[in-house]
mmCIF file of all heavy atoms in Angstrom:
data_model
loop_
_atom_site.group_PDB
_atom_site.id
_atom_site.type_symbol
_atom_site.label_atom_id
_atom_site.label_comp_id
_atom_site.label_asym_id
_atom_site.label_seq_id
_atom_site.Cartn_x
_atom_site.Cartn_y
_atom_site.Cartn_z
ATOM 1 N N ILE A 1 -2.560 -9.507 -7.160
ATOM 2 C CA ILE A 1 -2.729 -10.887 -6.701
ATOM 3 C C ILE A 1 -3.099 -10.907 -5.225
ATOM 4 O O ILE A 1 -3.994 -11.650 -4.794
ATOM 5 C CB ILE A 1 -1.445 -11.702 -6.961
ATOM 6 C CG1 ILE A 1 -1.236 -11.892 -8.462
ATOM 7 C CG2 ILE A 1 -1.506 -13.058 -6.258
ATOM 8 C CD1 ILE A 1 0.111 -12.500 -8.819
ATOM 9 N N LEU A 2 -2.426 -10.071 -4.429
ATOM 10 C CA LEU A 2 -2.732 -10.020 -3.002
ATOM 11 C C LEU A 2 -4.178 -9.595 -2.763
ATOM 12 O O LEU A 2 -4.885 -10.195 -1.948
ATOM 13 C CB LEU A 2 -1.773 -9.068 -2.298
ATOM 14 C CG LEU A 2 -1.906 -8.991 -0.773
ATOM 15 C CD1 LEU A 2 -0.536 -8.813 -0.122
ATOM 16 C CD2 LEU A 2 -2.822 -7.850 -0.345
ATOM 17 N N LEU A 3 -4.641 -8.581 -3.466
ATOM 18 C CA LEU A 3 -6.010 -8.111 -3.260
ATOM 19 C C LEU A 3 -7.030 -9.141 -3.743
ATOM 20 O O LEU A 3 -8.073 -9.338 -3.103
ATOM 21 C CB LEU A 3 -6.214 -6.780 -3.969
ATOM 22 C CG LEU A 3 -5.391 -5.604 -3.410
ATOM 23 C CD1 LEU A 3 -5.567 -4.362 -4.278
ATOM 24 C CD2 LEU A 3 -5.771 -5.302 -1.964
ATOM 25 N N GLU A 4 -6.744 -9.803 -4.852
ATOM 26 C CA GLU A 4 -7.660 -10.827 -5.352
ATOM 27 C C GLU A 4 -7.773 -11.984 -4.367
ATOM 28 O O GLU A 4 -8.877 -12.479 -4.091
ATOM 29 C CB GLU A 4 -7.185 -11.331 -6.716
ATOM 30 C CG GLU A 4 -7.363 -10.305 -7.827
ATOM 31 C CD GLU A 4 -6.623 -10.685 -9.096
ATOM 32 O OE1 GLU A 4 -5.970 -11.766 -9.116
ATOM 33 O OE2 GLU A 4 -6.687 -9.908 -10.076
ATOM 34 N N HIS A 5 -6.648 -12.431 -3.839
ATOM 35 C CA HIS A 5 -6.695 -13.518 -2.863
ATOM 36 C C HIS A 5 -7.206 -13.026 -1.515
ATOM 37 O O HIS A 5 -7.799 -13.803 -0.758
ATOM 38 C CB HIS A 5 -5.318 -14.178 -2.733
ATOM 39 C CG HIS A 5 -5.010 -15.118 -3.854
ATOM 40 N ND1 HIS A 5 -5.439 -16.423 -3.861
ATOM 41 C CD2 HIS A 5 -4.350 -14.920 -5.012
ATOM 42 C CE1 HIS A 5 -5.041 -17.013 -4.981
ATOM 43 N NE2 HIS A 5 -4.379 -16.122 -5.697
ATOM 44 N N GLY A 6 -6.985 -11.733 -1.226
ATOM 45 C CA GLY A 6 -7.603 -11.176 -0.035
ATOM 46 C C GLY A 6 -9.113 -11.285 -0.097
ATOM 47 O O GLY A 6 -9.769 -11.645 0.892
ATOM 48 N N ALA A 7 -9.681 -11.004 -1.258
ATOM 49 C CA ALA A 7 -11.128 -11.160 -1.429
ATOM 50 C C ALA A 7 -11.527 -12.634 -1.343
ATOM 51 O O ALA A 7 -12.554 -12.974 -0.744
ATOM 52 C CB ALA A 7 -11.561 -10.568 -2.763
ATOM 53 N N ARG A 8 -10.735 -13.496 -1.921
ATOM 54 C CA ARG A 8 -11.072 -14.926 -1.932
ATOM 55 C C ARG A 8 -11.124 -15.525 -0.530
ATOM 56 O O ARG A 8 -12.023 -16.329 -0.217
ATOM 57 C CB ARG A 8 -10.047 -15.694 -2.791
ATOM 58 C CG ARG A 8 -10.336 -17.177 -2.939
ATOM 59 C CD ARG A 8 -9.216 -17.872 -3.693
ATOM 60 N NE ARG A 8 -7.935 -17.785 -2.989
ATOM 61 C CZ ARG A 8 -7.576 -18.584 -1.980
ATOM 62 N NH1 ARG A 8 -8.408 -19.524 -1.537
ATOM 63 N NH2 ARG A 8 -6.390 -18.439 -1.402
ATOM 64 N N VAL A 9 -10.177 -15.157 0.336
ATOM 65 C CA VAL A 9 -10.117 -15.775 1.668
ATOM 66 C C VAL A 9 -11.109 -15.151 2.642
ATOM 67 O O VAL A 9 -11.306 -15.676 3.744
ATOM 68 C CB VAL A 9 -8.696 -15.708 2.267
ATOM 69 C CG1 VAL A 9 -7.685 -16.343 1.330
ATOM 70 C CG2 VAL A 9 -8.291 -14.282 2.629
ATOM 71 N N LEU A 10 -11.743 -14.044 2.249
ATOM 72 C CA LEU A 10 -12.716 -13.402 3.124
ATOM 73 C C LEU A 10 -14.096 -14.029 2.959
ATOM 74 O O LEU A 10 -14.514 -14.384 1.857
ATOM 75 C CB LEU A 10 -12.816 -11.908 2.815
ATOM 76 C CG LEU A 10 -11.696 -11.022 3.338
ATOM 77 C CD1 LEU A 10 -11.820 -9.617 2.764
ATOM 78 C CD2 LEU A 10 -11.699 -10.978 4.862
ATOM 79 N N ALA A 11 -14.809 -14.116 4.069
ATOM 80 C CA ALA A 11 -16.215 -14.496 4.028
ATOM 81 C C ALA A 11 -17.020 -13.353 3.416
ATOM 82 O O ALA A 11 -16.555 -12.209 3.369
ATOM 83 C CB ALA A 11 -16.715 -14.799 5.434
ATOM 84 N N PRO A 12 -18.228 -13.627 2.925
ATOM 85 C CA PRO A 12 -19.082 -12.532 2.449
ATOM 86 C C PRO A 12 -19.233 -11.444 3.511
ATOM 87 O O PRO A 12 -19.373 -11.749 4.700
ATOM 88 C CB PRO A 12 -20.412 -13.240 2.166
ATOM 89 C CG PRO A 12 -20.024 -14.639 1.840
ATOM 90 C CD PRO A 12 -18.845 -14.953 2.722
ATOM 91 N N GLN A 13 -19.166 -10.201 3.082
ATOM 92 C CA GLN A 13 -19.215 -9.023 3.942
ATOM 93 C C GLN A 13 -17.918 -8.819 4.737
ATOM 94 O O GLN A 13 -17.855 -7.945 5.612
ATOM 95 C CB GLN A 13 -20.406 -9.062 4.908
ATOM 96 C CG GLN A 13 -21.744 -9.248 4.229
ATOM 97 C CD GLN A 13 -22.042 -8.134 3.241
ATOM 98 O OE1 GLN A 13 -21.996 -6.961 3.596
ATOM 99 N NE2 GLN A 13 -22.348 -8.490 1.995
ATOM 100 N N GLY A 14 -16.899 -9.610 4.473
ATOM 101 C CA GLY A 14 -15.615 -9.411 5.125
ATOM 102 C C GLY A 14 -14.968 -8.108 4.696
ATOM 103 O O GLY A 14 -15.266 -7.548 3.640
ATOM 104 N N ARG A 15 -14.051 -7.615 5.518
ATOM 105 C CA ARG A 15 -13.418 -6.312 5.286
ATOM 106 C C ARG A 15 -11.932 -6.480 4.970
ATOM 107 O O ARG A 15 -11.257 -7.317 5.572
ATOM 108 C CB ARG A 15 -13.544 -5.417 6.522
ATOM 109 C CG ARG A 15 -14.952 -5.305 7.086
ATOM 110 C CD ARG A 15 -15.881 -4.565 6.142
ATOM 111 N NE ARG A 15 -17.255 -4.568 6.617
ATOM 112 C CZ ARG A 15 -17.771 -3.665 7.443
ATOM 113 N NH1 ARG A 15 -17.011 -2.708 7.938
ATOM 114 N NH2 ARG A 15 -19.047 -3.725 7.780
ATOM 115 N N LEU A 16 -11.453 -5.659 4.058
ATOM 116 C CA LEU A 16 -10.021 -5.520 3.828
ATOM 117 C C LEU A 16 -9.647 -4.072 4.077
ATOM 118 O O LEU A 16 -10.262 -3.160 3.524
ATOM 119 C CB LEU A 16 -9.637 -5.934 2.405
ATOM 120 C CG LEU A 16 -8.126 -5.946 2.129
ATOM 121 C CD1 LEU A 16 -7.733 -7.116 1.246
ATOM 122 C CD2 LEU A 16 -7.649 -4.631 1.495
ATOM 123 N N ILE A 17 -8.661 -3.868 4.945
ATOM 124 C CA ILE A 17 -8.191 -2.533 5.306
ATOM 125 C C ILE A 17 -6.749 -2.405 4.832
ATOM 126 O O ILE A 17 -5.881 -3.171 5.264
ATOM 127 C CB ILE A 17 -8.280 -2.298 6.826
ATOM 128 C CG1 ILE A 17 -9.715 -2.523 7.312
ATOM 129 C CG2 ILE A 17 -7.806 -0.910 7.196
ATOM 130 C CD1 ILE A 17 -9.844 -3.540 8.399
ATOM 131 N N ALA A 18 -6.511 -1.458 3.931
ATOM 132 C CA ALA A 18 -5.176 -1.254 3.374
ATOM 133 C C ALA A 18 -4.666 0.131 3.732
ATOM 134 O O ALA A 18 -5.378 1.124 3.551
ATOM 135 C CB ALA A 18 -5.204 -1.435 1.856
ATOM 136 N N LEU A 19 -3.433 0.193 4.238
ATOM 137 C CA LEU A 19 -2.765 1.450 4.573
ATOM 138 C C LEU A 19 -1.463 1.510 3.800
ATOM 139 O O LEU A 19 -0.753 0.501 3.681
ATOM 140 C CB LEU A 19 -2.467 1.538 6.064
ATOM 141 C CG LEU A 19 -3.584 1.829 7.057
ATOM 142 C CD1 LEU A 19 -4.644 0.729 7.047
ATOM 143 C CD2 LEU A 19 -3.031 1.964 8.461
ATOM 144 N N THR A 20 -1.134 2.701 3.297
ATOM 145 C CA THR A 20 0.075 2.851 2.494
ATOM 146 C C THR A 20 0.489 4.321 2.495
ATOM 147 O O THR A 20 -0.342 5.196 2.773
ATOM 148 C CB THR A 20 -0.190 2.342 1.061
ATOM 149 O OG1 THR A 20 1.033 2.250 0.338
ATOM 150 C CG2 THR A 20 -1.171 3.223 0.317
ATOM 151 N N PRO A 21 1.742 4.655 2.210
ATOM 152 C CA PRO A 21 2.140 6.060 2.171
ATOM 153 C C PRO A 21 1.358 6.848 1.126
ATOM 154 O O PRO A 21 0.972 6.314 0.079
ATOM 155 C CB PRO A 21 3.630 5.991 1.825
ATOM 156 C CG PRO A 21 4.070 4.656 2.320
ATOM 157 C CD PRO A 21 2.901 3.752 2.074
ATOM 158 N N ASN A 22 1.143 8.121 1.405
ATOM 159 C CA ASN A 22 0.377 9.003 0.530
ATOM 160 C C ASN A 22 1.327 9.751 -0.409
ATOM 161 O O ASN A 22 1.978 10.718 0.008
ATOM 162 C CB ASN A 22 -0.423 9.999 1.374
ATOM 163 C CG ASN A 22 -1.110 11.053 0.527
ATOM 164 O OD1 ASN A 22 -1.355 10.842 -0.658
ATOM 165 N ND2 ASN A 22 -1.419 12.190 1.127
ATOM 166 N N PRO A 23 1.391 9.382 -1.680
ATOM 167 C CA PRO A 23 2.359 10.030 -2.577
ATOM 168 C C PRO A 23 1.965 11.431 -3.019
ATOM 169 O O PRO A 23 2.772 12.120 -3.655
ATOM 170 C CB PRO A 23 2.398 9.067 -3.773
ATOM 171 C CG PRO A 23 1.040 8.441 -3.801
ATOM 172 C CD PRO A 23 0.647 8.301 -2.355
ATOM 173 N N VAL A 24 0.746 11.872 -2.709
ATOM 174 C CA VAL A 24 0.362 13.254 -3.032
ATOM 175 C C VAL A 24 1.172 14.238 -2.194
ATOM 176 O O VAL A 24 1.457 15.348 -2.627
ATOM 177 C CB VAL A 24 -1.144 13.451 -2.821
ATOM 178 C CG1 VAL A 24 -1.535 14.910 -2.978
ATOM 179 C CG2 VAL A 24 -1.929 12.595 -3.808
ATOM 180 N N SER A 25 1.574 13.812 -0.996
ATOM 181 C CA SER A 25 2.364 14.675 -0.119
ATOM 182 C C SER A 25 3.796 14.787 -0.635
ATOM 183 O O SER A 25 4.479 13.779 -0.841
ATOM 184 C CB SER A 25 2.373 14.110 1.302
ATOM 185 O OG SER A 25 3.321 14.796 2.101
ATOM 186 N N LEU A 26 4.257 16.020 -0.828
ATOM 187 C CA LEU A 26 5.627 16.214 -1.297
ATOM 188 C C LEU A 26 6.652 15.670 -0.313
ATOM 189 O O LEU A 26 7.703 15.172 -0.719
ATOM 190 C CB LEU A 26 5.875 17.702 -1.562
ATOM 191 C CG LEU A 26 5.127 18.304 -2.753
ATOM 192 C CD1 LEU A 26 5.372 19.803 -2.833
ATOM 193 C CD2 LEU A 26 5.527 17.629 -4.051
ATOM 194 N N ASP A 27 6.376 15.804 0.976
ATOM 195 C CA ASP A 27 7.287 15.239 1.978
ATOM 196 C C ASP A 27 7.470 13.746 1.766
ATOM 197 O O ASP A 27 8.578 13.213 1.880
ATOM 198 C CB ASP A 27 6.727 15.480 3.386
ATOM 199 C CG ASP A 27 7.391 16.651 4.082
ATOM 200 O OD1 ASP A 27 8.281 17.276 3.464
ATOM 201 O OD2 ASP A 27 7.039 16.933 5.232
ATOM 202 N N VAL A 28 6.368 13.054 1.488
ATOM 203 C CA VAL A 28 6.414 11.599 1.327
ATOM 204 C C VAL A 28 7.122 11.222 0.036
ATOM 205 O O VAL A 28 8.077 10.430 0.045
ATOM 206 C CB VAL A 28 4.990 11.007 1.364
ATOM 207 C CG1 VAL A 28 5.004 9.527 0.986
ATOM 208 C CG2 VAL A 28 4.380 11.190 2.745
ATOM 209 N N ILE A 29 6.661 11.755 -1.091
ATOM 210 C CA ILE A 29 7.175 11.285 -2.378
ATOM 211 C C ILE A 29 8.592 11.775 -2.666
ATOM 212 O O ILE A 29 9.348 11.136 -3.397
ATOM 213 C CB ILE A 29 6.227 11.685 -3.526
ATOM 214 C CG1 ILE A 29 6.489 10.811 -4.756
ATOM 215 C CG2 ILE A 29 6.339 13.165 -3.850
ATOM 216 C CD1 ILE A 29 6.298 9.327 -4.536
ATOM 217 N N SER A 30 8.994 12.907 -2.061
ATOM 218 C CA SER A 30 10.333 13.429 -2.335
ATOM 219 C C SER A 30 11.402 12.806 -1.463
ATOM 220 O O SER A 30 12.574 12.778 -1.844
ATOM 221 C CB SER A 30 10.357 14.955 -2.159
ATOM 222 O OG SER A 30 10.127 15.302 -0.802
ATOM 223 N N GLU A 31 11.019 12.284 -0.276
ATOM 224 C CA GLU A 31 12.055 11.727 0.608
ATOM 225 C C GLU A 31 11.572 10.553 1.448
ATOM 226 O O GLU A 31 12.157 9.464 1.386
ATOM 227 C CB GLU A 31 12.590 12.809 1.543
ATOM 228 C CG GLU A 31 13.664 12.293 2.489
ATOM 229 C CD GLU A 31 14.197 13.370 3.419
ATOM 230 O OE1 GLU A 31 13.434 14.284 3.780
ATOM 231 O OE2 GLU A 31 15.378 13.272 3.793
ATOM 232 N N ILE A 32 10.515 10.744 2.238
ATOM 233 C CA ILE A 32 10.152 9.748 3.250
ATOM 234 C C ILE A 32 9.931 8.373 2.646
ATOM 235 O O ILE A 32 10.397 7.365 3.189
ATOM 236 C CB ILE A 32 8.912 10.216 4.041
ATOM 237 C CG1 ILE A 32 9.242 11.475 4.843
ATOM 238 C CG2 ILE A 32 8.405 9.119 4.968
ATOM 239 C CD1 ILE A 32 8.029 12.132 5.484
ATOM 240 N N PHE A 33 9.238 8.310 1.511
ATOM 241 C CA PHE A 33 8.959 7.019 0.884
ATOM 242 C C PHE A 33 10.237 6.259 0.571
ATOM 243 O O PHE A 33 10.302 5.037 0.708
ATOM 244 C CB PHE A 33 8.151 7.229 -0.405
ATOM 245 C CG PHE A 33 7.719 5.952 -1.063
ATOM 246 C CD1 PHE A 33 6.553 5.318 -0.689
ATOM 247 C CD2 PHE A 33 8.490 5.374 -2.071
ATOM 248 C CE1 PHE A 33 6.147 4.133 -1.300
ATOM 249 C CE2 PHE A 33 8.104 4.200 -2.683
ATOM 250 C CZ PHE A 33 6.923 3.571 -2.297
ATOM 251 N N TRP A 34 11.261 6.976 0.162
ATOM 252 C CA TRP A 34 12.487 6.334 -0.313
ATOM 253 C C TRP A 34 13.473 6.031 0.805
ATOM 254 O O TRP A 34 14.551 5.481 0.531
ATOM 255 C CB TRP A 34 13.126 7.220 -1.379
ATOM 256 C CG TRP A 34 12.160 7.552 -2.459
ATOM 257 C CD1 TRP A 34 11.576 8.761 -2.714
ATOM 258 C CD2 TRP A 34 11.614 6.647 -3.423
ATOM 259 N NE1 TRP A 34 10.709 8.675 -3.765
ATOM 260 C CE2 TRP A 34 10.707 7.392 -4.221
ATOM 261 C CE3 TRP A 34 11.804 5.289 -3.695
ATOM 262 C CZ2 TRP A 34 9.998 6.812 -5.267
ATOM 263 C CZ3 TRP A 34 11.093 4.713 -4.725
ATOM 264 C CH2 TRP A 34 10.198 5.465 -5.500
ATOM 265 N N LEU A 35 13.141 6.351 2.036
ATOM 266 C CA LEU A 35 14.020 5.990 3.151
ATOM 267 C C LEU A 35 14.035 4.490 3.393
ATOM 268 O O LEU A 35 14.971 3.959 3.995
ATOM 269 C CB LEU A 35 13.576 6.716 4.425
ATOM 270 C CG LEU A 35 13.715 8.240 4.409
ATOM 271 C CD1 LEU A 35 13.189 8.831 5.714
ATOM 272 C CD2 LEU A 35 15.161 8.659 4.167
ATOM 273 N N ASP A 36 12.987 3.795 2.965
ATOM 274 C CA ASP A 36 12.936 2.339 3.073
ATOM 275 C C ASP A 36 13.358 1.755 1.726
ATOM 276 O O ASP A 36 12.622 1.851 0.739
ATOM 277 C CB ASP A 36 11.520 1.888 3.427
ATOM 278 C CG ASP A 36 11.437 0.387 3.686
ATOM 279 O OD1 ASP A 36 12.338 -0.347 3.225
ATOM 280 O OD2 ASP A 36 10.476 -0.049 4.349
ATOM 281 N N PRO A 37 14.547 1.153 1.649
ATOM 282 C CA PRO A 37 15.038 0.673 0.350
ATOM 283 C C PRO A 37 14.248 -0.504 -0.200
ATOM 284 O O PRO A 37 14.451 -0.885 -1.358
ATOM 285 C CB PRO A 37 16.492 0.272 0.656
ATOM 286 C CG PRO A 37 16.507 -0.016 2.116
ATOM 287 C CD PRO A 37 15.518 0.922 2.735
ATOM 288 N N THR A 38 13.349 -1.086 0.587
ATOM 289 C CA THR A 38 12.545 -2.200 0.089
ATOM 290 C C THR A 38 11.237 -1.737 -0.543
ATOM 291 O O THR A 38 10.467 -2.559 -1.050
ATOM 292 C CB THR A 38 12.241 -3.212 1.215
ATOM 293 O OG1 THR A 38 11.376 -2.602 2.187
ATOM 294 C CG2 THR A 38 13.515 -3.668 1.896
ATOM 295 N N HIS A 39 10.952 -0.432 -0.533
ATOM 296 C CA HIS A 39 9.760 0.078 -1.210
ATOM 297 C C HIS A 39 9.926 -0.061 -2.720
ATOM 298 O O HIS A 39 10.980 0.249 -3.271
ATOM 299 C CB HIS A 39 9.519 1.541 -0.860
ATOM 300 C CG HIS A 39 8.914 1.735 0.498
ATOM 301 N ND1 HIS A 39 8.728 2.989 1.065
ATOM 302 C CD2 HIS A 39 8.418 0.842 1.396
ATOM 303 C CE1 HIS A 39 8.162 2.847 2.248
ATOM 304 N NE2 HIS A 39 7.966 1.559 2.475
ATOM 305 N N VAL A 40 8.872 -0.515 -3.388
ATOM 306 C CA VAL A 40 8.887 -0.700 -4.837
ATOM 307 C C VAL A 40 8.257 0.478 -5.553
ATOM 308 O O VAL A 40 8.841 1.048 -6.470
ATOM 309 C CB VAL A 40 8.162 -2.010 -5.206
ATOM 310 C CG1 VAL A 40 8.034 -2.157 -6.725
ATOM 311 C CG2 VAL A 40 8.894 -3.213 -4.618
ATOM 312 N N ARG A 41 7.028 0.847 -5.143
ATOM 313 C CA ARG A 41 6.334 1.974 -5.765
ATOM 314 C C ARG A 41 5.184 2.411 -4.868
ATOM 315 O O ARG A 41 4.672 1.626 -4.067
ATOM 316 C CB ARG A 41 5.782 1.615 -7.143
ATOM 317 C CG ARG A 41 4.799 0.467 -7.174
ATOM 318 C CD ARG A 41 3.815 0.629 -8.335
ATOM 319 N NE ARG A 41 2.995 1.806 -8.164
ATOM 320 C CZ ARG A 41 2.311 2.396 -9.152
ATOM 321 N NH1 ARG A 41 2.355 1.896 -10.371
ATOM 322 N NH2 ARG A 41 1.563 3.460 -8.904
ATOM 323 N N PRO A 42 4.758 3.672 -4.988
ATOM 324 C CA PRO A 42 3.596 4.128 -4.225
ATOM 325 C C PRO A 42 2.303 3.737 -4.929
ATOM 326 O O PRO A 42 2.271 3.483 -6.138
ATOM 327 C CB PRO A 42 3.774 5.643 -4.196
ATOM 328 C CG PRO A 42 4.518 5.953 -5.455
ATOM 329 C CD PRO A 42 5.410 4.774 -5.717
#
């Protein structure tokens, strides 16, 4: 829903930049990601 509305509110040729933890990294998926209890999923 966020991405769909992100596209809707953008003018043509507008940019959306998304950053998120990288779950391919064992450091991230085994511990770092879960240090924030509000994380839902990678």
Side-chain angles (χ1 to χ4, degrees):
I1 292 171
L2 184 144
L3 294 174
E4 289 167 1
H5 282 276
R8 183 185 62 81
V9 304
L10 283 171
Q13 305 300 306
R15 310 292 175 88
L16 186 141
I17 304 124
L19 285 63
T20 191
N22 173 23
V24 173
S25 170
L26 291 175
D27 260 0
V28 171
I29 199 60
S30 66
E31 180 180 31
I32 295 171
F33 185 86
W34 307 109
L35 294 178
D36 186 339
T38 67
H39 283 174
V40 174
R41 59 151 296 162

